[in-house]
Amino acid sequence: MTNPHPSTDPPVSDTVETLVLDLLEWVGPNPRPYSEVIEAWRTSCPRLPIWEDANDRGFISRHHQPGHGTLVSVTATGAEHLRKQREPSPR
């Protein structure tokens, strides 16, 4: 049976990938406080596990810095993934 109203939304995996890239850009090259990152990026939608996906793929890391608490940073793997996915394509 075909759906009479096919969705024009991108597949969930494409949406998650785009949002993971947005998270990596948002965190940026300097560590951010964990509480700030979780407040901005947590989700109650099990179909869009952005924070969990970025963690599972090794794109972000949490670490404790004395005097600053828990921080979140983009890993070298995450920075490379972001660079490859968001670099302008040659014309």
Side-chain angles (χ1 to χ4, degrees):
M1 179 175 186
T2 15
N3 183 350
H5 306 287
S7 174
T8 57
D9 294 335
V12 171
S13 61
D14 289 349
T15 301
V16 169
E17 179 63 19
T18 298
L19 289 171
V20 165
L21 294 171
D22 289 348
L23 170 62
L24 297 176
E25 284 182 333
W26 183 84
V27 171
N30 299 312
R32 286 187 182 248
Y34 174 78
S35 59
E36 180 183 337
V37 175
I38 287 300
E39 182 63 30
W41 286 93
R42 74 174 163 212
T43 179
S44 59
C45 178
R47 294 186 59 177
L48 294 175
I50 308 314
W51 168 258
E52 293 83 359
D53 195 59
N55 263 311
D56 291 348
R57 294 167 69 184
F59 292 163
I60 54 177
S61 68
R62 284 185 293 179
H63 49 92
H64 185 78
Q65 185 173 7
H68 296 282
T70 303
L71 301 174
V72 174
S73 298
V74 175
T75 64
T77 302
E80 179 65 11
H81 181 70
L82 179 62
R83 185 190 65 74
K84 285 181 178 178
Q85 297 302 313
R86 292 278 169 101
E87 69 183 5
S89 58
R91 291 183 173 197

